[in-house]
Amino acid sequence: MTKDTPSEPALAPRTRDAEATKARILKAALNEFARYGLAGARVDTIAEKAKANKRMLYHYFGSKEELFQIVLENAYLDIRQAEQKLRLHELDPVEAMERLVRFTWEYYLKHPEFIRLVNSENLHRGQHLRKSKLVSIFSRKLVEMVSDILDRGVAQGVFRPGVDPVHLNLTIAAIGFYYLTNRYTGSIIFERDLMDKAALDERLAFNIDTILRLVRA
Amino acid sequence: MTKDTPSEPALAPRTRDAEATKARILKAALNEFARYGLAGARVDTIAEKAKANKRMLYHYFGSKEELFQIVLENAYLDIRQAEQKLRLHELDPVEAMERLVRFTWEYYLKHPEFIRLVNSENLHRGQHLRKSKLVSIFSRKLVEMVSDILDRGVAQGVFRPGVDPVHLNLTIAAIGFYYLTNRYTGSIIFERDLMDKAALDERLAFNIDTILRLVRA
DNA sequence: CGGATAACGCACTATCTGGTTACTTCCCGG
DNA sequence: CCGGGAAGTAACCAGATAGTGCGTTATCCG
C-alpha cells in the first residue's frame, strides 16, 4: 500500500510508515510474549521496544490478546512454510525422514520463541490458535508430507506398514521440543548442561536414531 | 508440632491449626499456579480458595515466588517418590521398561498440574528449581534406576549396549509430556481430539513401542 | 495547493496486584 | 488461671497495568 516512489532509495527513513510500524510491533511482541508469556508480557514494554507509541499498538491490533493471537499465528505459519520448502518428496524415504527430524530440531533450536509461544498458548488451552483458519490448512500439508514419506518407505520395503503419521509427527516434534523447552529444569535434574554444543549434537543423533528405529521394517 | 491431644478425635475441627492452613494454601497455590502460571496466578485468589487470610500466606511463605518455589519442589518430590515405589528392579528388563513408560504416561495424565508447573518454571529459566537441594538427590535415583534396567537388559542380551540412560529418560518423558502438554494446540493442528479415551490408549501403546524399539538389541 | 485521511503521541485513568500495618482472638504452658 | 506468643483478620497502600480521549502532524490525492 504505502510504497516509496520507485525513484527514491528504499532506505530513506520514512517518518510515517504503517506497515513498518506494524512489523516492528509484531517483532517486539513476539520477543516479549516468548520471554514472559501472555500474562507476564507488558504492553508498555512491547510499545517501547518497537519504538512505537502504545496507542498505535491498540490501533492496529485491538488488544493485548489479539496481538498475541496474531503473533502466535505468524509463528505457526512460519514453521509450516519452512517445512514445505524442504522438498522431502525429492529424497528417498530414509533420507527424507532424517532430514525432517533434523529440520525440526534445528528449527526449534533457532527459534526458541516458537516453543515458548506454543507453551504459553497451551497454558491458555489453545483459545487463541483456535481462531486461526490458516493454521489448520497448512498443518494438513505437514501430515500429508509425512504420510507420503511413510507410504514410499513401505512400498520400498524399508519402512514397516501401519505407522500412524499423526503419532509419528507428534513423536518427531516431542523428542526435540521437550528437550529444548525443558532445557532449564532438565539441566538441573540431570546435572549436565543440555545446551552444550556436544550435548546438542548428541541429542540430534539420538533423535534421528529413535525415529528411524521406530519406522524401519 | 501442634498436635491434637491423643484423647481428642483427630477430625475435630480445630479453629486454629498452622499445619492445616499451610496445607490448604499449598493446595490452592498448586491449583492456581498450574492454571495460570506464575505471572497469571493471583495471590488473592490463592488465599481465598485456601480459605485463609492473605496475611497468613505471606507469613508462612514469604512471597509469591517463594510459594511457587515450594509448590514446584513438592510437585517434583511427589513424582520422584512415586517412581521409587515402582520397584522396577524386581521385574525383568523389558517389563520394567514398559512399566516405567506406562507409569510416566499415567502420572502425567493424572497430574496435569505437574506438567503445567514444569512449563511455567522453564519459562522462568529454572530459577526456582535451582534453589532446591532435594530435587537433585531424588533425580539421581531415577537415572540410576533406568541405568540398572538398561544394564540388566544388555547382560541378558535383550537390549543393545550404548544407550545413554539420560537420553532415554528424556525420551520417555518427552513422548508423553509433549503429547499432553500440547493437547490443545495439538488437537487443533491435527484436527483430532487427542484427549479422547481411545486416542490416549493408542498413544500409550505407541509410546511403549517407541521405547522398546529404541532399546532392543 | 489544500484539505481529508491516516499516522502518531501525550497524558490520563480505573482497576488490579503484591505486599504490609495494625489489630484481635485463641491456645497452652507454667 | 493468666500472660505471652502464635494464629488469624480487615483495611489499606504504592506502584503497576491495560486501555483511551483527544490533539498534532505528515502524507497523499484531487
Side-chain angles (χ1 to χ4, degrees), chain A residues 72-86:
Chain A
L72 180 73
E73 184 177 40
N74 285 347
Y76 266 104
L77 295 182
D78 188 74
I79 189 174
R80 291 294 99 97
Q81 276 166 354
E83 280 157 359
Q84 289 305 314
K85 285 182 193 153
L86 292 174

Side-chain angles (χ1 to χ4, degrees), chain A residues 14-16 41-44 54-55 58 63-64:
Chain A
R14 293 191 57 129
T15 41
R16 299 198 156 195
R42 297 298 161 234
V43 173
D44 291 79
K54 192 166 51 149
R55 200 69 194 73
Y58 281 96
S63 71
K64 187 187 184 183

Side-chain angles (χ1 to χ4, degrees), chain B residues 14-16 41-44 54-55 58 63-64:
Chain B
R14 293 190 56 130
T15 42
R16 303 197 154 196
R42 296 296 159 235
V43 172
D44 291 79
K54 191 166 51 148
R55 197 65 193 79
Y58 281 96
S63 70
K64 187 187 183 183

Side-chain angles (χ1 to χ4, degrees), chain B residues 141-159:
Chain B
K141 289 191 191 170
L142 170 63
V143 179
E144 280 167 27
M145 217 167 74
V146 173
S147 219
D148 173 66
I149 301 171
L150 235 24
D151 288 347
R152 288 192 292 123
V154 172
Q156 291 179 26
V158 289
F159 292 164

Side-chain angles (χ1 to χ4, degrees), chain A residues 2 7 10 16 46 83 97-98 105 115 117 123 142 145 171 174 182 188:
Chain A
T2 35
S7 54
R16 299 198 156 195
I46 294 171
E83 280 157 359
M97 196 63 78
E98 182 176 333
W105 172 258
I115 60 185
L117 237 37
L123 186 65
L142 171 63
M145 218 165 73
T171 304
N182 292 341
I188 295 164

Side-chain angles (χ1 to χ4, degrees), chain B residues 90-136:
Chain B
E90 295 173 359
L91 299 173
D92 76 69
V94 173
E95 274 178 17
M97 196 62 79
E98 181 175 334
R99 179 143 188 209
L100 180 60
V101 175
R102 184 185 299 276
F103 164 81
T104 304
W105 172 258
E106 282 167 359
Y107 188 90
Y108 291 162
L109 204 51
K110 268 191 195 165
H111 301 270
E113 334 84 53
F114 177 75
I115 58 183
R116 292 177 149 248
L117 237 38
V118 172
N119 276 339
S120 292
E121 174 62 357
N122 279 289
L123 185 64
H124 292 274
R125 303 184 144 73
Q127 60 177 292
H128 308 96
L129 191 67
R130 211 170 291 137
K131 290 167 188 162
S132 170
K133 297 288 162 205
L134 281 171
V135 166
S136 314

